[in-house]
Amino acid sequence: MSGRILPFGPSLATQAEPLPPPGGGGRGDATDRALTAADQERFRRLVLPHMDAAYSFARYLSRDASLAEDLVQDAFLRAFKGFAGFRGGDPKAWLFAIVRSSHLTWARSRGATLQAVPDEFEDTPAEGDTPEEALLRQGEVETVRGAIEALPEPFRETLVLRELEEMSYREIAEITQAPIGTVMSRLARARAMLLAALGAEAQETKP
Amino acid sequence: MSACPDKELLLHGLLDGELDAANVQAVEGHLKTCPGCAEAYRDLQALHARIAAPGIAYAAPESLRARLEAMAAPTPARPARIRTAAPWALSGVFAALAASLAVMVVQPTTLALQDQLVASHVRSTLAQHLVDVETSDRHTVKPWFNGKIDFAPPVVDLADQGFPLVGGRLDYLDNRVVAAEVFRRNKHVINLFVWPAKTSLLPAREAAPPAGYSVVHWRQGSLQFWAVSDVDPRDLEAFHQAFAKATHS
């Protein structure tokens, strides 16, 4: 964890919510079983490739580079530990549900402990901002990212899962634990808000 | 003009491929006769194109990638790169120990770094993330680095020598942000990574880089340079000579 100070310990895993049911089945009864070499190989093949997507999702959820890094690391640790209980289904949706739950856990722990360590937290250096970020913060990319990040949370989350990750309404409903109808209306609201924001932006920047 | 209120969610469903065949037909038919809905649908399509464009999604930072890959690496983790240290401990020849230590300590870093360099090079060519500032004008690239990094890499355009400057980028290597200058050799890409040299950590000799890639390393003043490419090693050495000559004057 590269020495950053967060309001929770080095890993959220101990206080985190139980893992989401793998593949829609029941709670993984084998969750505590040690991973076999074959499990580990499956993890590398099925879960690891979603690292960029998981980071992007965490980044849009948290709107903070170093926090997103911590959330993804925590989620992968939990996914790795719980992978013995993963019995199929879509590994990406499973991983995203864990990322989301890590974020919720963080948000709650922050609500509970922020008063105790506000200064340390505010001073946390945004380590992830240096290489990948400084560069892309320009022009169109910055405009669109900024507009997405300005959306209120449930709309932002739904929009990112649909537009960036191309998940189906059903997958989004499972990850966000909302009825499909809610997913649809959030998506429509999110797009309307973005069109309003980006439409205005485009007109302002026209020569 | 706006979309019919009762059709709004259907427009989103059509865009997202969530409608069954009958509804697809119905909505598409409606779009042909209703200018308001047609306009709203075009707006949604345009918005989707802007959000799905490359660069809007974030990519995991290298430091995170390295940690997660190490976490999921087969156990035992990667085989240690120092072959064996045991004979030293047994022998009492301290001079030999001191001499070999210098090589043994340096080598693992160098090897790991070389892997990092080639990995960064490959990623830059795969991930549509070759350059952050795209120009052959060194007077644009050089100031672009200012303020983003705490050193000033020399930038030259070597088009005359067959290595046109493509642009610059920031990268993350050796646990720090480094400058990456991008050049071309015919259809090939040359990444030149530059960052301050640490005190005399120059490797005694190079291990072979991964097959198909060449790495050339040199120092100029207080900076170290690592040129990485899949061009012929002789071309890369020619690039090194041309760059060093052009920046030394």
Side-chain angles (χ1 to χ4, degrees):
Chain A
M1 287 290 254
S2 60
R4 263 164 285 133
I5 301 162
L6 285 176
F8 42 76
S11 168
L12 295 163
T14 48
Q15 55 191 350
E17 299 186 331
L19 289 181
R27 288 273 300 280
D29 47 7
T31 308
D32 292 332
R33 173 163 72 78
L35 290 192
T36 64
D39 285 336
Q40 293 185 8
E41 193 277 328
R42 265 178 80 229
F43 184 86
R44 283 193 295 277
R45 187 162 42 84
L46 297 177
V47 184
L48 218 48
H50 301 300
M51 189 190 306
D52 281 325
Y55 177 78
S56 189
F57 181 48
R59 181 67 190 265
Y60 277 112
L61 279 182
S62 66
R63 298 182 286 198
D64 180 297
S66 67
L67 175 56
E69 218 177 305
D70 287 343
L71 292 175
V72 171
Q73 174 161 325
D74 179 70
F76 268 81
L77 271 174
R78 291 168 66 189
F80 193 61
K81 284 182 189 157
F83 192 63
F86 178 71
R87 286 187 295 264
D90 181 17
K92 183 176 175 183
W94 180 69
L95 176 68
F96 270 49
I98 301 175
V99 170
R100 183 175 184 274
S101 138
S102 284
H103 180 249
L104 282 180
T105 308
W106 171 82
R108 278 187 208 132
S109 78
R110 181 178 177 229
T113 60
L114 191 58
Q115 296 216 315
V117 285
D119 290 340
E120 285 171 309
F121 182 70
E122 296 304 330
D123 289 343
T124 302
E127 179 185 294
D129 254 318
T130 26
E132 311 281 356
E133 264 62 271
L135 37 95
L136 283 166
R137 290 270 165 210
Q138 328 151 316
E140 164 76 0
V141 167
E142 183 181 8
T143 304
V144 175
R145 282 181 169 179
I148 296 173
E149 287 175 2
L151 294 174
E153 181 148 317
F155 305 105
R156 177 166 19 107
E157 172 179 77
T158 308
L159 181 104
V160 166
L161 290 175
R162 175 59 221 153
E163 294 280 29
L164 285 176
E165 300 306 330
E166 301 196 321
M167 291 195 172
S168 69
Y169 291 176
R170 179 169 300 283
E171 285 171 322
I172 299 172
E174 278 171 19
I175 291 172
T176 60
Q177 302 184 341
I180 286 196
T182 306
V183 170
M184 290 166 69
S185 59
R186 281 177 183 169
L187 189 57
R189 274 286 303 283
R191 282 170 168 160
M193 283 188 270
L194 267 190
L195 276 173
L198 288 172
E201 192 86 35
Q203 275 161 8
E204 272 171 30
T205 52
K206 257 175 204 162
Chain B
M1 204 175 329
S2 59
C4 311
D6 63 317
K7 296 288 189 299
E8 199 197 345
L9 289 183
L10 287 172
L11 295 184
H12 291 272
L14 181 65
L15 183 77
D16 296 326
E18 296 273 353
L19 300 186
D20 58 23
N23 271 308
V24 168
Q25 213 170 15
V27 179
E28 282 178 348
H30 177 74
L31 284 177
K32 285 185 186 133
T33 59
C34 173
C37 282
E39 188 189 342
Y41 190 66
R42 277 194 301 275
D43 285 347
L44 290 178
Q45 286 176 311
L47 179 69
H48 170 73
R50 287 181 79 179
I51 302 175
I56 305 300
Y58 290 92
E62 273 326 296
S63 50
L64 176 67
R65 182 181 308 280
R67 287 202 300 277
L68 295 184
E69 281 172 356
M71 178 194 79
T75 42
R78 314 175 74 188
R81 280 192 147 132
I82 298 177
R83 305 290 186 286
T84 167
W88 305 352
L90 299 176
S91 88
V93 190
F94 290 109
L97 168 62
S100 57
L101 202 59
V103 176
M104 296 305 254
V105 169
V106 164
Q107 199 126 305
T109 6
T110 314
L111 281 169
L113 177 60
Q114 191 150 268
D115 289 346
Q116 285 185 41
L117 286 161
V118 172
S120 280
H121 169 79
V122 172
R123 263 196 310 280
S124 75
T125 59
L126 291 180
Q128 295 184 311
H129 182 199
L130 191 55
V131 291
D132 301 316
V133 50
E134 181 170 359
T135 171
S136 60
D137 181 1
R138 64 194 172 94
H139 298 298
T140 306
V141 177
K142 202 169 164 52
W144 183 85
F145 280 125
N146 283 346
K148 298 186 177 66
I149 42 180
D150 54 1
F151 56 96
V155 182
V156 287
D157 183 14
L158 299 170
D160 293 349
Q161 285 93 331
F163 303 101
L165 175 67
V166 180
R169 177 179 91 246
L170 296 183
D171 217 311
Y172 192 82
L173 282 169
D174 198 21
N175 297 317
R176 62 160 300 145
V177 181
V178 306
E181 299 172 24
V182 182
F183 297 82
R184 275 197 196 282
R185 174 64 159 185
N186 303 325
K187 297 278 184 194
H188 299 272
V189 170
I190 298 175
N191 268 291
L192 178 62
F193 300 97
V194 188
W195 69 102
K198 293 172 204 150
T199 44
S200 72
L201 250 183
L202 268 181
R205 62 192 135 92
E206 303 292 318
Y213 294 96
S214 304
V215 177
V216 175
H217 168 53
W218 73 93
R219 278 182 70 161
Q220 268 171 244
S222 61
L223 297 176
Q224 56 178 318
F225 295 76
W226 295 82
V228 185
S229 183
D230 58 350
V231 297
D232 187 288
R234 281 166 303 186
D235 281 356
L236 201 58
E237 184 52 38
F239 167 79
H240 163 208
Q241 299 301 340
F243 186 91
K245 191 162 170 244
T247 53
H248 252 307
S249 50

